Amino acid sequence: MIQLVDIHKSFKNQKVLDGLHLEVEGGKTTVIIGLSGGGKSVLLKHMIGLLKPDSGSVIVDGEDITKMNDRDLNETRKKFGMLFQEAALFDSMNVFENVAFPLREHTKMTESQIGDRVQSRLQDVGLVGVEEKMPSELSGGMKKRVGLARALVMEPRIVLFDEPTTGLDPIMTEAIDRLIYESQKKYNLTCVVISHDLKSIFDIGHRIAMLYDGKIIGYGTPDEMKNSENPVIRQFLTGSLEGPISVV
Amino acid sequence: MGRVIAFFDRFGRSIFSALEEMGSMLLLFLSVVAWAGRPPFKTRLIIKQMEFVGVKSIFVVVLTGLFTGMVMTLQIYYGFRMFSAEALVGSTVALGMARELGPVLTALMVTARAGSAMAAELGTMRVTEQIDALYVMAANPVKTLIVPRVIAGITMLPVLTVVSVFVGVLGGYFVGVPILDINKGMFIKNITTYVSLSDIYNGLIKAAFFGFILSFVGCYKGFTTTGGAEGVGKSTTEAVVVAAITILLSAYFLTALMF
């Protein structure tokens, strides 16, 4: 479904992705783990064409999006939804307008059809009666849920999540994880999730990929990753200061 | 020798950086032109921006226009009285307002009020990934964010300039006729004699050009913001400084060309 082939990406003189290969399976949730500042968000942005690699290919449904013109890239992007780290809701629009935005932009639905779809998505994420609120009036968890409703409103096949639970309390983290899990199951989505939260990783991930030093150094099911012999993966998953990853 | 090389290194880098910025501005300009002509047109967003740039700037434009007309009348009166040309005060104020001060002052005030807000809003949208969200939703940010603001700038500045010139002349009248005792008939007649329609048209063309400058620079600086809250502050300051300087410089060249 999504293949990243030999991706290299540098910013000024700093190499972030260095010959990265990854294949994201359709209809499954792949969680990408790795150190903070290790290039996970950069990797996610390559999948949807927000960043272009210095070299390498990003293949979505058999087509290389790095070689597409803007029009074709936009068509491909309609297959995607994305939940940003801070939700990225439009400050100037209320909740309803935020969720309705992609429908108004790309469909010929009537206002009543848009209203029904928006209500249904807001119900999916457990938010009713907040349609008129502005993003500044919402808590962090509510923003993420509205962001998720917006990401799902166009019924995409692929949804990307950039640290969906960072900064949330454990109960809200659990709620967001459950929403991701249930949405994936209900709509048979292909999900790619960036997360640091070990519980989330094993709760929602069908596949886990570890990004380290610009490359995917481990890929497998949660059990395979738990039992990995790779010292970097072991250190990361146990959260130990002792090991090949030196942070202090 | 090392210092000389370092000097040329810095000099070369700043030239490259300036050329890079000009190139990136040109690319954005071409993109704005291309998207402005491509339907569907974002009428609702354009009207919203016209309200923001135009309607919400009226108070500040009226205030500056009024007091500029009043103070010009005072100053010109003291000069013209020396050779008994008080009757020409009204027409001189009207010419000055229509040709130069109306468009320039309006543009500077709207730059401070709306151009800075454009840079801050787009800059915040950039650093909070709202612009990335537009790309992800296959909605072009140039069409959604920049085109409506630039159209609002180009269309509303001439309207605001008309208001500014009108209240400026009105302010001049109220200082000149009742306070300085200039003959009312001569004050008005000389305005109609010496101010031609072309003076007003050219002033409005200037205003439209300034409207483009302040909105485009505001949007460009906001759109290319990097570096969080500090970056937004920097972009906003740069937007105001660059737009104000460009307006003042281009005012001279446009005047030299037009009149």
Side-chain angles (χ1 to χ4, degrees), chain B residues 136-186:
Chain B
V136 166
M137 288 185 266
N140 189 290
V142 173
K143 187 169 182 67
T144 312
L145 300 174
I146 301 183
V147 169
R149 285 169 170 79
V150 172
I151 290 177
I154 293 172
T155 52
M156 293 319 289
L157 256 285
V159 178
L160 290 170
T161 299
V162 168
V163 174
S164 170
V165 172
F166 178 75
V167 295
V169 174
L170 208 67
Y173 177 88
F174 284 124
V175 171
V177 176
I179 299 174
L180 302 173
D181 211 20
I182 299 172
N183 181 279
K184 180 180 165 185
M186 291 305 284

XYZ file of all heavy atoms in Angstrom, chain B residues 136-186:
369
model
N -2.507 18.645 3.254
C -2.950 17.258 3.445
C -4.379 17.077 2.950
O -4.722 16.043 2.375
C -2.838 16.866 4.940
C -3.587 15.587 5.228
C -1.378 16.729 5.331
N -5.223 18.118 3.141
C -6.614 18.016 2.702
C -6.768 18.429 1.239
O -7.880 18.702 0.780
C -7.502 18.874 3.599
C -7.663 18.264 4.977
S -8.806 19.195 5.987
C -7.706 20.253 6.854
N -5.653 18.455 0.517
C -5.638 18.774 -0.914
C -6.296 20.128 -1.193
O -6.930 20.328 -2.221
C -6.318 17.664 -1.721
N -6.175 21.058 -0.221
C -6.688 22.420 -0.418
C -5.479 23.334 -0.554
O -4.685 23.423 0.380
C -7.533 22.837 0.786
N -5.345 23.982 -1.702
C -4.139 24.782 -1.913
C -4.125 26.020 -1.011
O -5.041 26.844 -1.082
C -4.063 25.194 -3.375
C -2.735 25.836 -3.686
O -2.462 26.945 -3.229
N -1.895 25.134 -4.411
N -3.108 26.171 -0.155
C -3.079 27.310 0.769
C -2.958 28.656 0.052
O -3.443 29.661 0.570
C -1.847 27.070 1.630
C -1.375 25.715 1.326
C -1.967 25.269 0.043
N -2.319 28.664 -1.119
C -2.196 29.944 -1.835
C -3.591 30.419 -2.231
O -3.951 31.584 -2.038
C -1.292 29.789 -3.080
C -1.304 31.051 -3.924
C 0.134 29.461 -2.653
N -4.399 29.500 -2.747
C -5.748 29.880 -3.162
C -6.644 30.196 -1.954
O -7.435 31.126 -1.983
C -6.372 28.743 -3.975
C -7.702 29.133 -4.589
C -8.163 28.121 -5.593
C -9.468 28.536 -6.239
N -9.373 29.711 -7.080
N -6.478 29.413 -0.896
C -7.365 29.557 0.261
C -6.967 30.740 1.146
O -7.830 31.433 1.673
C -7.324 28.265 1.107
O -7.487 27.159 0.230
C -8.413 28.240 2.147
N -5.668 30.962 1.295
C -5.233 31.966 2.274
C -4.717 33.259 1.640
O -5.018 34.350 2.117
C -4.116 31.387 3.151
C -4.449 30.141 3.973
C -3.208 29.614 4.668
C -5.522 30.458 4.997
N -3.921 33.112 0.571
C -3.225 34.309 0.072
C -4.059 35.075 -0.952
O -4.176 36.302 -0.859
C -1.836 33.918 -0.491
C -1.015 33.240 0.617
C -1.105 35.139 -1.032
C 0.380 32.865 0.245
N -4.642 34.357 -1.902
C -5.406 35.054 -2.955
C -6.511 35.957 -2.364
O -6.596 37.132 -2.739
C -5.958 34.042 -3.998
C -6.962 34.701 -4.923
C -4.813 33.435 -4.802
N -7.336 35.481 -1.421
C -8.374 36.371 -0.887
C -7.795 37.625 -0.210
O -8.356 38.712 -0.331
C -9.102 35.503 0.156
C -8.832 34.114 -0.257
C -7.468 34.113 -0.861
N -6.656 37.465 0.461
C -6.059 38.624 1.147
C -5.507 39.634 0.145
O -5.652 40.843 0.324
C -4.958 38.147 2.106
C -5.509 37.515 3.371
C -4.441 36.811 4.189
N -4.935 36.400 5.506
C -5.678 35.333 5.727
N -6.018 34.535 4.721
N -6.098 35.037 6.943
N -4.864 39.129 -0.913
C -4.286 40.044 -1.904
C -5.418 40.759 -2.662
O -5.349 41.979 -2.889
C -3.342 39.273 -2.865
C -2.900 40.151 -4.013
C -2.117 38.760 -2.102
N -6.464 40.026 -3.012
C -7.597 40.673 -3.701
C -8.213 41.735 -2.790
O -8.516 42.855 -3.223
C -8.658 39.617 -4.114
C -8.107 38.755 -5.246
C -9.966 40.293 -4.560
C -9.010 37.632 -5.689
N -8.354 41.421 -1.509
C -8.912 42.392 -0.565
C -8.018 43.628 -0.473
O -8.512 44.765 -0.459
C -9.078 41.756 0.810
N -6.702 43.417 -0.450
C -5.768 44.545 -0.377
C -5.901 45.443 -1.602
O -6.024 46.667 -1.493
N -5.899 44.827 -2.782
C -5.939 45.606 -4.029
C -7.270 46.361 -4.171
O -7.303 47.496 -4.632
C -5.722 44.668 -5.249
C -4.295 44.112 -5.218
C -5.978 45.405 -6.559
C -4.031 43.034 -6.256
N -8.367 45.748 -3.766
C -9.669 46.402 -3.975
C -10.026 47.400 -2.870
O -10.668 48.413 -3.142
C -10.807 45.359 -4.069
O -10.721 44.494 -2.931
C -10.715 44.534 -5.336
N -9.629 47.114 -1.646
C -10.081 47.972 -0.548
C -9.226 49.222 -0.347
O -9.713 50.219 0.164
C -10.144 47.180 0.769
C -11.210 46.096 0.810
S -12.793 46.550 0.060
C -13.418 47.721 1.244
N -7.952 49.169 -0.740
C -7.104 50.352 -0.528
C -7.620 51.572 -1.292
O -7.683 52.669 -0.726
C -5.650 50.028 -0.869
C -4.715 49.829 0.336
C -4.364 51.159 0.975
C -5.318 48.915 1.373
N -8.020 51.424 -2.579
C -8.583 52.594 -3.263
C -9.836 53.132 -2.560
O -10.012 54.355 -2.447
C -8.930 52.052 -4.662
C -8.011 50.900 -4.860
C -7.847 50.286 -3.506
N -10.673 52.248 -2.059
C -11.892 52.695 -1.371
C -11.523 53.485 -0.115
O -12.050 54.575 0.144
C -12.780 51.473 -0.994
C -14.020 51.931 -0.225
C -13.187 50.694 -2.235
N -10.583 52.925 0.645
C -10.157 53.612 1.873
C -9.482 54.941 1.549
O -9.604 55.921 2.292
C -9.196 52.721 2.666
C -9.826 51.490 3.323
C -8.740 50.561 3.867
C -10.774 51.889 4.458
N -8.767 54.982 0.417
C -8.097 56.222 0.022
C -9.125 57.307 -0.296
O -8.945 58.475 0.061
C -7.181 55.956 -1.191
O -6.214 54.997 -0.792
C -6.493 57.213 -1.660
N -10.210 56.932 -0.971
C -11.273 57.897 -1.262
C -11.785 58.492 0.054
O -11.932 59.713 0.186
C -12.427 57.213 -2.043
C -13.652 58.114 -2.087
C -11.975 56.865 -3.452
N -12.002 57.615 1.033
C -12.486 58.075 2.344
C -11.465 59.025 2.964
O -11.804 60.106 3.458
C -12.730 56.861 3.281
C -13.087 57.329 4.685
C -13.829 55.963 2.724
N -10.186 58.617 2.908
C -9.129 59.423 3.525
C -9.039 60.804 2.872
O -8.939 61.823 3.566
C -7.805 58.657 3.387
O -6.741 59.471 3.747
N -9.077 60.846 1.533
C -8.965 62.130 0.822
C -10.173 63.006 1.170
O -10.028 64.194 1.458
C -8.876 61.886 -0.712
C -8.946 63.204 -1.475
C -7.592 61.147 -1.053
N -11.344 62.396 1.183
C -12.562 63.158 1.457
C -12.507 63.791 2.852
O -12.715 64.991 3.006
C -13.785 62.245 1.317
C -15.075 62.934 1.636
C -15.637 63.843 0.735
C -15.734 62.693 2.838
C -16.823 64.493 1.041
C -16.914 63.346 3.152
C -17.469 64.248 2.244
N -12.185 62.978 3.861
C -12.180 63.548 5.221
C -10.992 64.494 5.415
O -11.081 65.440 6.196
C -12.189 62.469 6.343
C -13.468 61.668 6.338
C -10.994 61.563 6.265
N -9.910 64.258 4.671
C -8.753 65.153 4.739
C -9.137 66.544 4.259
O -8.836 67.561 4.904
N -9.820 66.609 3.106
C -10.243 67.897 2.549
C -11.285 68.539 3.477
O -11.263 69.750 3.723
C -10.804 67.704 1.111
C -11.388 68.996 0.573
C -9.701 67.201 0.186
N -12.143 67.696 4.014
C -13.158 68.183 4.953
C -12.493 68.793 6.182
O -12.870 69.883 6.641
C -14.050 67.005 5.366
C -15.475 67.333 5.773
C -16.251 67.855 4.568
C -16.162 66.076 6.314
N -11.473 68.107 6.691
C -10.719 68.612 7.843
C -10.067 69.932 7.491
O -10.069 70.884 8.285
N -9.516 70.014 6.283
C -8.888 71.241 5.809
C -9.902 72.376 5.752
O -9.607 73.508 6.145
N -11.091 72.048 5.290
C -12.153 73.066 5.185
C -12.496 73.611 6.575
O -12.569 74.814 6.756
C -13.390 72.435 4.526
C -14.562 73.358 4.432
C -14.723 74.210 3.338
C -15.519 73.399 5.442
C -15.802 75.070 3.248
C -16.599 74.255 5.376
C -16.729 75.088 4.279
O -17.806 75.947 4.206
N -12.663 72.705 7.526
C -13.077 73.151 8.862
C -11.994 73.959 9.573
O -12.288 74.823 10.380
C -13.502 71.956 9.729
C -14.864 71.441 9.334
C -15.049 70.111 8.968
C -15.959 72.306 9.277
C -16.302 69.656 8.585
C -17.210 71.847 8.895
C -17.390 70.512 8.555
N -10.746 73.709 9.253
C -9.678 74.538 9.826
C -9.552 75.832 9.026
O -9.414 76.926 9.584
C -8.338 73.767 9.848
C -7.179 74.688 10.234
C -8.411 72.599 10.825
N -9.618 75.693 7.676
C -9.360 76.846 6.801
C -10.459 77.888 6.852
O -10.187 79.084 7.008
N -11.713 77.471 6.744
C -12.796 78.447 6.597
C -13.224 79.046 7.947
O -13.074 80.254 8.137
C -13.975 77.832 5.798
C -15.142 78.816 5.721
C -13.499 77.451 4.392
N -13.691 78.227 8.891
C -14.146 78.888 10.136
C -13.011 79.401 11.018
O -13.147 80.441 11.649
C -14.916 77.785 10.874
C -14.960 76.605 9.962
C -13.917 76.778 8.947
N -11.881 78.705 11.055
C -10.832 79.102 12.006
C -9.876 80.125 11.390
O -9.580 81.163 11.958
C -10.062 77.862 12.524
C -11.024 76.922 13.249
C -8.915 78.273 13.462
C -10.413 75.598 13.688
N -9.359 79.820 10.194
C -8.356 80.718 9.599
C -8.983 81.801 8.717
O -8.280 82.625 8.135
C -7.349 79.891 8.776
C -6.602 78.805 9.562
C -5.767 77.955 8.637
C -5.722 79.435 10.634
N -10.276 81.735 8.595
C -11.033 82.771 7.895
C -10.699 82.878 6.397
O -10.639 83.969 5.839
C -10.785 84.122 8.602
C -11.993 85.027 8.477
O -13.093 84.498 8.214
O -11.815 86.251 8.605
N -10.446 81.748 5.775
C -10.248 81.751 4.320
C -11.632 81.843 3.680
O -12.593 81.262 4.187
C -9.538 80.457 3.859
C -8.159 80.349 4.516
C -9.394 80.397 2.342
C -7.460 79.022 4.289
N -11.695 82.549 2.563
C -12.990 82.702 1.888
C -13.537 81.338 1.455
O -12.863 80.599 0.747
C -12.820 83.622 0.676
C -14.127 83.844 -0.046
O -14.543 83.002 -0.834
N -14.777 84.972 0.264
N -14.772 81.067 1.876
C -15.379 79.758 1.647
C -15.496 79.438 0.146
O -15.131 78.357 -0.325
C -16.775 79.772 2.285
C -17.569 78.524 2.157
C -18.915 78.766 2.849
C -19.935 77.726 2.468
N -21.255 78.029 3.038
N -15.984 80.438 -0.616
C -16.199 80.241 -2.063
C -14.887 79.949 -2.771
O -14.797 79.038 -3.606
N -13.832 80.720 -2.425
C -12.537 80.542 -3.078
C -11.927 79.189 -2.713
O -11.295 78.526 -3.540
C -11.573 81.676 -2.662
C -11.944 83.028 -3.209
S -12.105 83.004 -5.005
C -10.414 82.988 -5.503
